[in-house]
């Protein structure tokens, strides 16, 4: 039997550049308008306040907006691939949600309109 799952979704856009690191050196620095789609589920029966979540997300995104990702502490040793950027953002967002009665259940990060990487939290049932 199916059941409804109610979620909230917020799209955000951040301009930031990166360069891939390869075995023979670093590629060319290039910019992306990163599309970040965050999907939340209410923790308990609480209503999620969009403004609170958006403010929290914007605080995170402003830390790297307009920056060269390779120079950030998180990417000094880790290649700033779309996969690694998504994993990094998932942790930052999850940690920042404490007290907002929201759980991040899906994060989709796109470096172009046709390329995205997703993390989805699935319930064990």
């Amino acid at each position: 039997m199916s059941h409804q799952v109610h979620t909230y979704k917020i799209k955000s856009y951040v301009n930031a550049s990166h360069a891939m690191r390869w075995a023979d050196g670093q590629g060319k620095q290039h910019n992306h308008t990163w599309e970040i789609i965050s999907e939340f589920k209410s923790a308990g029966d609480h209503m999620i306040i969009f403004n609170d979540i958006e403010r929290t997300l914007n605080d995170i995104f402003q830390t790297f907006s307009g920056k060269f990702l390779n120079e950030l502490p998180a990417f000094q040793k880790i290649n700033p691939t779309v996969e690694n950027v998504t994993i990094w953002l998932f942790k930052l967002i999850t940690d920042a949600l404490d007290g907002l009665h929201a759980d991040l259940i899906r994060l989709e990060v796109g470096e172009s309109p046709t390329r995205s990487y997703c993390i989805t939290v699935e319930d064990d049932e």
Side-chain angles (χ1 to χ4, degrees):
M1 181 179 202
S2 64
H3 69 282
Q4 293 182 350
V5 177
H6 298 243
T7 63
Y8 298 83
K9 191 180 285 190
I10 297 175
K11 282 186 183 182
S12 307
Y13 297 90
V14 178
N15 288 310
S17 63
H18 70 152
M20 299 303 299
R21 292 187 188 103
W22 307 106
D24 60 348
Q26 184 168 287
K28 185 178 178 183
Q29 180 178 345
H30 58 282
N31 193 53
H32 290 286
T33 298
W34 300 82
E35 179 180 58
I36 305 164
I37 302 171
S38 310
E39 190 169 351
F40 305 92
K41 187 168 80 171
S42 173
D45 291 333
H46 295 280
M47 179 179 72
I48 292 177
I49 308 298
F50 275 106
N51 287 344
D52 293 344
I53 300 293
E54 288 171 330
R55 189 175 312 110
T56 299
L57 293 175
N58 287 334
D59 287 347
I60 293 168
F61 300 152
Q62 287 306 311
T63 65
F64 68 94
S65 178
K67 303 257 172 74
F68 181 41
L69 297 180
N70 297 56
E71 295 176 347
L72 298 179
F75 299 107
Q76 292 295 304
K77 295 182 181 176
I78 297 172
N79 209 1
T81 63
V82 67
E83 297 87 355
N84 289 334
V85 169
T86 306
I87 292 165
W88 172 66
L89 286 174
F90 192 91
K91 179 166 180 13
L92 288 176
I93 293 168
T94 299
D95 291 349
L97 291 176
D98 192 36
L100 293 179
H101 306 293
D103 294 319
L104 182 62
I105 60 168
R106 181 173 169 81
L107 184 66
E108 180 176 332
V109 178
E111 63 179 13
S112 79
T114 60
R115 297 179 183 171
S116 297
Y117 187 76
C118 306
I119 298 174
T120 302
V121 176
E122 293 182 350
D123 291 331
D124 295 331
E125 290 187 32

